Amino acid sequence: MNQLPLEPTSPLAPEAGSLSIGIVGAGQFSKSFATLWDLHPNVSQLAVTDLQPERAEQLAAHYDGATVVGSFEEMLASDVDAVAIFTQRWTHGPLVLAALEAGKHVYSAVPMAVELTEIEQIIAAVERTGLTYMMGETSYYNPATVYMRERIRSGELGQVFYSEGDYVHDMDLGFYAAYQYSGGENWKATASYPPMLYPTHALGGVLGALPAHAVSVSCLGVKDRRNDGVFDREVSMFDNDVSNATALFELSDGGCLRTNEMRRVGYPCHIRESRFRFFGTEASFEQLAHQTVWNDKTESRDISADFLPVRDSSGDTDLSDVDPALRAAFTSGTAPVHDRSRLPHTFEGAPNGHEGAHHFLADDFVRAVVTGELPPVNAWLAAKFTAPGIVAHASARDGGTRMDIPHFGDGPGR
């Protein structure tokens, strides 16, 4: 039976233990988490490595006692307890497997993998080693998902028969600069990354609230027309010319889930790039860029105020190497629906991003390693967020053919 984990209710005690963390990939995203782990009372040491040594040195210089390691292989051979992988999207699967085999706990940026076989291998390695694996999916902690997880558990919606999750992020709004930063002179080859191989923001926000998994999918992709060398099959290392894709999933509970992955769209993604809708037999929930609404059979209530993160300008917010269009995602505060009482007090005033998700992600990984408990977005839940997109991409390549999605189980005790 599918079950979603309950939220912790109090901060982790300092005496519970500590761990050292090796940061793999010193790009634009990793600094947000290195800063939080440096502040965490249960983290004793940071180490950093990057293919560009100067980036590793620059990141490590922000934190007292942080060290620079020459390579990923040297990091695995070191005495760090865990590694946090912030590398290119298609590299995560092999790096995670190598880290687990080296005896390291693993935090991985999204997606979990780009091949179903990689997902299967990661789960098998976690089962065999007993090590912690956590995927850093921000949408699991999105204010809408946090809110709906409790509403669905309480039965307030009745039967949830239809849901939607959109990741709406135009390439013009920061993604060109991000790919140039990470991809070097051949950045156009990687900027063509297929939308449905990055599905976890859209899927995680829905499947992080519903006790269900996707069992089949039909997906259609829209061929790109910009003609600027991005999403050009002759240039793309992924043989991809699709910039927007829409998938319809059948869920294990009999419901339907539709997702959109959009890279060419007239929409202000800096306001809300992930948005969700849930329709049940008793009530429903809908989001737009600025508005969040709860409906039942007698009224419609605007509940937007509960979902607006309160920005905090204090703390280390040097984002000089991040495109201005992306900075809002790195500087959001916590929304009213979040329960901050379970976080370390040292996180107060620290930079927070993606609608309040970063603080919870950073703490939950440390908590899982120190206590030995499964993290919320564990290997099995990460598979539920990732595998449907891999199959959806294959469906789009085959003209929308409906395809079955493998289920990798629910994890120990679930």
Side-chain angles (χ1 to χ4, degrees):
M1 179 180 177
N2 290 308
Q3 291 182 335
L4 293 167
L6 296 173
E7 306 295 333
T9 57
S10 61
L12 184 65
E15 60 269 20
S18 64
L19 71 151
S20 54
I21 300 177
I23 308 293
V24 181
Q28 295 174 323
F29 196 50
S30 58
K31 183 180 178 184
S32 298
F33 291 87
T35 296
L36 295 174
W37 285 322
D38 183 61
L39 291 170
H40 202 292
N42 299 91
V43 175
S44 59
Q45 176 78 26
L46 292 180
V48 186
T49 191
D50 192 279
L51 291 175
Q52 298 187 41
E54 64 276 11
R55 290 186 180 177
E57 292 167 1
Q58 290 168 4
L59 181 59
H62 284 276
Y63 314 109
D64 290 340
T67 60
V68 174
V69 178
S71 68
F72 175 64
E73 290 74 20
E74 289 180 42
M75 184 74 82
L76 296 190
S78 75
D79 61 359
V80 298
D81 299 304
V83 295
I85 296 171
F86 296 99
T87 58
Q88 298 275 42
R89 297 167 185 174
W90 56 93
T91 66
H92 296 166
L95 294 180
V96 167
L97 285 166
L100 290 170
E101 294 299 338
K104 308 300 183 185
H105 303 286
V106 178
Y107 178 98
S108 174
V110 297
M112 183 183 194
V114 295
E115 300 285 350
L116 295 175
T117 52
E118 293 175 346
I119 294 176
E120 184 176 23
Q121 290 165 356
I122 290 171
I123 290 175
V126 170
E127 290 176 332
R128 184 176 67 256
T129 64
L131 293 164
T132 295
Y133 168 89
M134 177 173 168
M135 185 178 76
E137 177 43 56
T138 58
S139 284
Y140 184 85
Y141 304 89
N142 183 285
T145 306
V146 171
Y147 181 83
M148 290 307 298
R149 196 153 50 233
E150 294 308 313
R151 304 286 80 74
I152 291 169
R153 274 182 176 142
S154 70
E156 293 173 57
L157 278 82
Q159 177 192 358
V160 181
F161 58 86
Y162 177 77
S163 52
E164 295 180 3
D166 298 335
Y167 182 59
V168 189
H169 196 135
D170 189 87
M171 286 289 295
D172 290 332
L173 299 180
F175 269 3
Y176 276 98
Y179 276 110
Q180 289 168 16
Y181 183 89
S182 61
E185 62 182 14
N186 295 320
W187 67 271
K188 288 186 178 181
T190 60
S192 60
Y193 189 82
M196 277 294 165
L197 291 186
Y198 191 65
T200 61
H201 294 331
L203 286 167
V206 176
L207 298 179
L210 283 173
H213 62 272
V215 298
S216 70
V217 62
S218 177
C219 179
L220 296 176
V222 177
K223 185 175 179 179
D224 193 61
R225 296 182 181 178
R226 178 69 70 88
N227 296 320
D228 63 356
V230 177
F231 300 111
D232 181 337
R233 273 191 151 167
E234 295 183 0
V235 176
S236 171
M237 67 176 284
F238 310 102
D239 188 34
N240 178 55
D241 59 3
V242 167
S243 52
N244 294 327
T246 297
L248 181 63
F249 298 93
E250 173 194 8
L251 299 185
S252 58
D253 63 0
C256 297
L257 162 60
R258 190 218 68 191
T259 66
N260 286 308
E261 288 288 341
M262 298 179 178
R263 305 296 180 266
R264 302 287 196 199
V265 55
Y267 176 83
C269 67
H270 61 283
I271 296 173
R272 174 174 284 145
E273 63 184 0
S274 298
R275 59 188 201 172
F276 307 100
R277 303 171 80 197
F278 296 83
F279 286 86
T281 54
E282 301 302 321
S284 59
F285 173 95
E286 301 181 82
Q287 281 192 310
L288 294 172
H290 286 286
Q291 192 175 31
T292 302
V293 177
W294 176 270
N295 310 293
D296 60 28
K297 297 181 181 181
T298 61
E299 64 174 347
S300 179
R301 290 187 289 117
D302 188 321
I303 55 175
S304 303
D306 288 338
F307 299 84
L308 298 177
V310 179
R311 295 189 182 279
D312 188 333
S313 60
S314 64
D316 181 2
T317 54
D318 177 15
L319 297 172
S320 58
D321 59 352
V322 177
D323 187 274
L326 291 177
R327 291 176 187 172
F330 289 81
T331 58
S332 71
T334 306
V337 299
H338 286 128
D339 178 12
R340 290 194 57 84
S341 65
R342 42 122 331 164
L343 294 172
H345 302 310
T346 50
F347 280 12
E348 288 298 329
N352 199 358
H354 287 88
E355 298 194 56
H358 291 189
H359 286 195
F360 295 94
L361 285 164
D363 181 55
D364 274 342
F365 178 64
V366 174
R367 187 183 295 265
V369 174
V370 169
T371 65
E373 298 175 356
L374 277 179
V377 189
N378 53 66
W380 294 270
L381 192 56
K384 293 177 189 176
F385 294 174
T386 305
I390 296 173
V391 180
H393 175 62
S395 171
R397 296 287 294 238
D398 197 41
T401 299
R402 185 170 175 175
M403 296 183 175
D404 291 335
I405 300 167
H407 180 45
F408 295 92
D410 298 318
R414 298 177 188 273

